Amino acid sequence: MPAWLTVVGIGDDGFAGLGRPARRALLQASVVYGGERHLAMLPARLAARRAAWPRPFDLSPLLAERGGAVCVLASGDPMLFGVGATLARQLPAGELRVLPAPSSLSLAAARLGWPLQDVATVSLVGRPLATLNAHLHDGARVFVLSADGRTPAALAELLNARGFGATRMSVLEHLGGELERRIDGRADQWPAGEVAALNLIALDCRATEGAPRLPLTCGLPDDAFRHDGQLTKRDVRAITLARLAPAPGELLWDVGAGSGSIGIEWMRSHPTCRAIAIEGHAERQRFIEHNRDALGVPSLQLVAGRAPAALQGLPLPDAVFIGGGATVPGVLEACWAALREGGRLVANAVTLQGEAALVAWRERHGGTLTRIALADAQPLGAFDTWRQALPITLLDVTKPSGEGARNTIDPADVTNATNGVNCTNCTNGTNGTNGTNGANGANGANATNATNALNTDSPQEP
């Protein structure tokens, strides 16, 4: 089928700013879809029917016009955070023609004299403000696509709270139009109130003294996370993430997520990486919610529940991390069954029982076992000595081709895991919550020191 749909990028200068091919497409169209602001820019002489996007946004009416002469109006470059990109995922390339106008990013770079390839871009249109946090580095330049006229003031407040009050902000309203205006100021001096709804914010980031420095490498400082001790510590976390080997677009299951540190750092490795944190402890769920926002990955999905039951129905993962729970019946089996071919499963254990489970798993499925033993220099009287952390056993195994992936769980495994059968040494056993109906919870008392190990995120193992 030849191209029946033309997506026309239009700037704030309206119809007058369009090139000849874009004008011709609009004049020949039988219907033009777009936002109300864009449709109002069209001259009365256009015979095409105007169709505003439905609310909530839905492509169904447009796709029902398939085969006609249809145009869509979009801001600037439709393929940059625009409807053009959405349509390109729905239609074959041959059915779609895109006629872009200069994007707001190009116009902003031209006004500020910033090389566009050196500037990060963050869209806050339909996204949480915390999305920006992953991009805050001293000296970084960032373009922020605003959600509305209140975004600049909210952004200034966030920058102050994150230790970036010295950041220079430029708000560019109505770029390319007759009402274009630029407002400059520092984040810590930005006035409250609204600006024009159509705006872009340019940030020249400057950290103030004491602002947290968050490196791009794996292994963020432990104090970057809010936690109760159930945290995969920095050095082990870096090793674990290296074995998980995140790649663009991949999905991680962080099983027994604790503070969420593994899933968060997985997502920070690339903007398209995704993660699901599975955590049954209510307080730790709140830690995950805080940490994912503070570290700039608010789209990390939190599943409140315990594996293996909580895994049912989740999207199939490209990698799985089991920070705790290797001894819980059905957890390893369910994760392995769901894992895609070529996917990586990494599990950490600190107890003999957990290590035995990983050794047995390796006997059946292969992989590598690594012992991690770390020590920190700490005071001993007037001198220093090495204090050994509990050693960690790490299993790293890749799923071979031919085994397939399925997200099904044996009901017997779910029942046993829910009741705590064979899980009498859980870390939370002192509270009786993870033993068999609490009867064996006291056995967990011997594992309470495991929270100081450089190991797991999860209450499920040891």
Side-chain angles (χ1 to χ4, degrees):
M1 178 183 292
W4 58 273
L5 177 60
T6 302
V7 185
V8 175
I10 190 168
D12 210 50
D13 51 358
F15 189 81
L18 296 177
R20 183 174 296 175
R23 293 188 185 192
R24 184 182 298 114
L26 289 167
L27 288 167
Q28 294 174 350
S30 59
V31 60
V32 179
Y33 280 81
E36 294 176 358
R37 181 176 69 87
H38 291 143
L39 294 175
M41 295 177 175
L42 298 178
R45 69 176 184 274
L46 256 68
R49 173 171 57 89
R50 276 78 159 168
W53 292 119
R55 297 181 181 178
F57 180 78
D58 184 8
L59 287 176
S60 299
L62 168 67
L63 297 176
E65 308 271 1
R66 193 171 190 170
V70 183
C71 277
V72 167
L73 289 176
S75 293
D77 184 350
M79 302 303 291
L80 182 70
F81 295 103
V83 71
T86 304
L87 288 166
R89 290 189 288 267
Q90 299 285 329
L91 296 171
E95 297 186 28
L96 182 68
R97 182 172 64 140
V98 180
L99 303 175
S103 70
S104 58
L105 304 183
S106 296
L107 294 173
R111 303 294 189 268
L112 296 166
W114 290 4
L116 188 54
Q117 69 271 15
D118 297 335
V119 185
T121 301
V122 177
S123 175
L124 297 182
V125 180
R127 296 173 176 84
L129 197 66
T131 305
L132 179 67
N133 287 335
H135 300 269
L136 294 182
H137 303 279
D138 190 42
R141 286 176 168 175
V142 185
F143 283 150
V144 180
L145 304 179
S146 281
D148 53 38
R150 298 184 296 274
T151 301
L155 199 55
E157 185 178 351
L158 178 144
L159 290 166
N160 278 312
R162 299 290 298 173
F164 282 81
T167 295
R168 293 189 287 272
M169 296 176 56
S170 296
V171 175
L172 302 163
E173 302 176 333
H174 293 288
L175 277 165
E178 295 181 357
L179 300 177
E180 182 174 322
R181 183 174 72 137
R182 173 174 166 177
I183 309 168
D184 297 304
R186 279 173 50 122
D188 55 8
Q189 299 169 1
W190 197 265
E194 295 190 36
V195 300
L198 186 62
N199 73 84
L200 177 146
I201 308 166
L203 302 178
D204 193 358
C205 297
R206 292 291 181 268
T208 54
E209 186 176 355
R213 182 182 181 278
L214 300 178
L216 297 176
T217 54
C218 294
L220 293 177
D222 292 341
D223 60 10
F225 300 92
R226 185 175 291 178
H227 63 92
D228 61 356
Q230 288 296 319
L231 173 74
T232 302
K233 301 302 195 302
R234 183 178 194 171
D235 299 303
V236 174
R237 193 181 333 121
I239 295 170
T240 299
L241 284 157
R243 299 298 183 91
L244 286 167
E250 289 191 328
L251 171 66
L252 170 76
W253 282 3
D254 185 359
V255 179
S259 67
S261 65
I262 293 292
I264 287 169
E265 292 218 42
W266 169 280
M267 291 185 65
R268 282 175 58 89
S269 68
H270 193 271
T272 63
C273 283
R274 299 163 293 136
I276 301 174
I278 299 95
E279 176 55 55
H281 190 286
E283 184 180 15
R284 291 172 189 144
Q285 292 164 14
R286 306 291 81 76
F287 291 155
I288 293 171
E289 291 170 341
H290 168 83
N291 292 332
R292 69 184 179 186
D293 286 353
L295 296 169
V297 289
S299 59
L300 181 144
Q301 181 182 347
L302 173 61
V303 173
R306 296 188 183 280
L311 306 178
Q312 186 68 48
L314 297 182
L316 301 181
D318 301 287
V320 176
F321 173 62
I322 305 174
T327 58
V328 176
V331 169
L332 279 166
E333 290 78 7
C335 291
W336 186 253
L339 188 63
R340 297 183 187 276
E341 293 182 357
R344 290 83 61 206
L345 185 147
V346 176
N348 290 354
V350 69
T351 65
L352 293 176
Q353 290 78 7
E355 181 177 278
L358 300 188
V359 170
W361 186 263
R362 179 173 173 267
E363 290 294 321
R364 298 195 302 274
H365 299 282
T368 61
L369 284 173
T370 304
R371 172 65 64 87
I372 305 171
L374 300 172
D376 290 326
Q378 295 183 11
L380 179 65
F383 300 93
D384 294 315
T385 190
W386 293 109
R387 297 289 185 187
Q388 296 285 341
L390 293 176
I392 310 300
T393 299
L394 182 149
L395 170 70
D396 173 13
V397 57
T398 299
K399 188 170 185 178
S401 59
E403 291 200 26
R406 55 182 176 82
N407 198 352
T408 58
I409 298 172
D410 188 333
D413 289 338
V414 174
T415 302
N416 290 338
T418 303
N419 293 332
V421 174
N422 299 325
C423 188
T424 57
N425 289 322
C426 297
T427 302
N428 287 336
T430 51
N431 297 323
T433 56
N434 288 333
T436 307
N437 298 326
N440 294 321
N443 292 338
N446 294 328
T448 55
N449 290 331
T451 58
N452 295 322
L454 298 166
N455 62 334
T456 72
D457 272 341
S458 170
Q460 293 179 322
E461 202 286 324

